[in-house]
């Protein structure tokens, strides 16, 4: 969705007639629906709308109140985000124990290179609390003694801090549809493999066991399908013959931080869009490193390619010399 439309997200238990009730309310207030997408997963209903409110016959406050009242009547959670709400974007970072991705985000923020504020860090352990406190950012531990997350608390915190973007900085827990649906195309994760290879847990271990010669990392949008969301950026590295898990982490973690930071900047600047499960970089989105650095082109062979070889072509044209 573009940033010049009002975004409405509806979440709740699946039931009949929900779409009609919401769209009828919008129609009655002179609001044009430009895009509508709905889905149901594990009994959770989600509807995302991009609407034009430039000619609506009520105020923004009235529309927000009316939609919230409708949500209360239907048992739905309704979020409304007007274009003006996004002048200063707020990031919520989720992490577990590994600090490298969070550190990269904080450094970019401190150097005014992020273009948004990091409003809160949320963890399922308290390992990252000292780093958050060093940068003066609130930290909340939503995990129990085994690291199991309290999703209701997570949802409340994301709403409290008015998160525009959620960044999973090596957050080692799966988010349910109840969270993912609320922030469609606004959750970015980094995975330690070149997706779609080696999804799920222990990706570096999978790569070592399979004997790959090139491994990598992927920053992608989060969907309800684990590690299958639209890919934004990727980085790759060589795998030595004797590489073990620790060596893979040593090579991969700096690239995880780099790919995640680049993906976050792309999103915050509005230079990447999602359409039919694929990301597209907008025309003004130049200067980003989506994959390997351009200098790789200098050592990458550019021939031969499929077709009649040059030697055969020269021979047929009579230019071959014996």
């Amino acid at each position: 969705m573009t940033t010049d439309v009002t975004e409405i997200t509806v979440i709740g238990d699946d039931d009949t007639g929900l779409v009609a009730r919401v769209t009828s309310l919008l129609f009655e207030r002179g609001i044009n629906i430009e895009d509508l997408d709905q889905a149901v997963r594990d009994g959770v209903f989600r509807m995302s709308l991009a609407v034009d409110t430039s000619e609506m016959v009520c105020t923004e406050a009235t529309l927000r109140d009316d939609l919230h009242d409708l949500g209360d009547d239907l048992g739905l959670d309704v979020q409304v985000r007007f274009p003006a709400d996004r002048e200063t974007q707020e990031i919520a970072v989720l992490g577990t124990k590994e600090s490298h991705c969070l550190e990269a985000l904080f450094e970019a923020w401190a150097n005014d290179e992020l273009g948004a504020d990091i409003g809160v860090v949320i963890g399922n352990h308290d390992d990252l609390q000292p780093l958050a406190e060093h940068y003066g950012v609130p930290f909340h531990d939503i995990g129990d003694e085994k690291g199991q997350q309290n999703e209701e608390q997570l949802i409340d915190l994301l709403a409290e801090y008015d998160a525009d973007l959620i960044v999973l900085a090596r957050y080692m827990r799966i988010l349910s549809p109840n969270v993912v649906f609320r922030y469609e195309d606004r959750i970015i994760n980094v995975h330690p493999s070149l997706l779609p290879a080696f999804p799920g847990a222990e990706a570096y271990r999978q790569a070592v066991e399979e004997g790959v010669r090139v491994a990598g990392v992927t920053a992608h949008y989060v969907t309800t399908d684990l590690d299958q969301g639209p890919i934004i950026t990727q980085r790759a590295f060589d795998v030595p013959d004797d590489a073990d898990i620790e060596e893979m982490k040593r090579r991969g973690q700096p690239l995880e931080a780099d790919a995640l930071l680049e993906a976050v900047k792309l999103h915050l600047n509005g230079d990447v869009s999602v359409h039919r499960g694929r990301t597209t970089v907008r025309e003004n989105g130049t200067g980003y490193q989506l994959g390997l650095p351009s200098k790789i082109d200098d050592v990458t062979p550019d021939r031969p390619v499929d077709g009649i070889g040059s030697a055969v072509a020269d021979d047929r044209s009579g230019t071959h010399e014996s």
Side-chain angles (χ1 to χ4, degrees):
M1 294 182 184
T2 59
T3 58
D4 57 352
V5 297
T6 296
E7 300 171 8
I8 300 172
T9 304
V10 182
I11 304 289
D13 294 335
D14 188 27
D15 200 357
T16 58
L18 299 179
V19 175
R21 292 289 300 274
V22 175
T23 55
S24 295
L25 183 150
L26 298 176
F27 175 77
E28 292 166 0
R29 286 150 185 77
I31 296 169
N32 182 52
I33 299 174
E34 298 189 354
D35 186 42
L36 185 154
D37 182 62
Q38 65 183 71
V40 177
R41 189 69 178 264
D42 298 337
V44 179
F45 168 81
R46 183 269 300 162
M47 179 169 61
S48 300
L49 305 99
V51 303
D52 181 1
T53 55
S54 61
E55 298 183 4
M56 66 180 177
V57 294
C58 65
T59 65
E60 291 183 357
T62 298
L63 176 62
R64 198 189 299 271
D65 290 342
D66 289 347
L67 284 169
H68 286 167
D69 289 343
L70 178 62
D72 291 340
D73 291 341
L74 299 177
L76 301 172
D77 179 28
V78 182
Q79 302 174 14
V80 186
R81 302 173 70 240
F82 294 99
D85 295 341
R86 296 183 290 276
E87 291 181 357
T88 301
Q89 299 185 76
E90 292 289 331
I91 298 175
V93 183
L94 276 59
T96 295
K97 294 184 177 183
E98 297 179 9
S99 63
H100 53 288
C101 288
L102 178 59
E103 184 177 355
L105 291 166
F106 272 141
E107 287 179 355
W109 180 48
N111 293 327
D112 294 324
E113 298 172 355
L114 202 55
D117 287 332
I118 299 178
V120 64
V121 176
I122 302 171
N124 61 315
H125 292 281
D126 62 3
D127 297 61
L128 299 177
Q129 184 169 355
L131 184 57
E133 291 178 344
H134 174 75
Y135 283 92
V137 174
F139 179 89
H140 296 269
D141 182 359
I142 62 167
D144 61 17
E145 63 277 2
K146 295 182 179 180
Q148 295 295 328
Q149 65 191 1
N150 183 328
E151 268 207 352
E152 291 302 319
Q153 185 181 2
L154 173 60
I155 291 171
D156 290 343
L157 285 169
L158 294 176
E160 177 185 344
Y161 286 94
D162 196 20
D164 294 292
L165 175 66
I166 302 167
V167 180
L168 307 187
R170 301 298 289 133
Y171 185 62
M172 309 305 288
R173 281 291 177 264
I174 297 174
L175 301 178
S176 78
N178 199 28
V179 177
V180 175
F181 279 166
R182 295 169 188 269
Y183 297 92
E184 196 85 5
D185 298 335
R186 290 194 285 138
I187 307 175
I188 296 178
N189 181 46
V190 63
H191 182 75
S193 81
L194 289 172
L195 291 174
F198 311 131
E202 302 286 349
Y204 286 143
R205 182 181 301 278
Q206 293 181 62
V208 170
E209 291 175 349
E210 293 296 330
V212 300
R213 295 299 184 180
V214 176
V217 305
T218 303
H220 65 96
Y221 284 110
V222 173
T223 65
T224 53
D225 296 313
L226 180 64
D227 295 332
Q228 296 183 42
I231 292 171
I232 310 173
T233 57
Q234 293 185 302
R235 301 288 187 272
F237 60 91
D238 284 324
V239 180
D241 285 341
D242 58 351
D244 57 14
I245 304 302
E246 292 306 312
E247 175 64 15
M248 295 287 281
K249 289 182 178 180
R250 187 190 70 78
R251 291 175 178 243
Q253 286 182 346
L255 297 180
E256 292 172 22
D258 188 60
L260 180 62
L261 181 58
E262 194 84 335
V264 167
K265 290 179 179 179
L266 268 161
H267 177 93
L268 292 173
N269 292 336
D271 288 336
V272 65
S273 62
V274 180
H275 181 64
R276 294 182 178 179
R278 293 175 60 90
T279 57
T280 301
V281 178
R282 304 184 192 279
E283 292 182 359
N284 61 328
T286 59
Y288 295 100
Q289 183 185 338
L290 303 180
L292 295 174
S294 57
K295 63 182 180 181
I296 295 297
D297 293 340
D298 297 335
V299 295
T300 301
D302 60 1
R303 65 165 303 278
V305 295
D306 187 37
I308 298 177
S310 58
V312 175
D314 290 344
D315 187 47
R316 289 183 175 179
S317 65
T319 60
H320 176 70
E321 296 181 3
S322 58

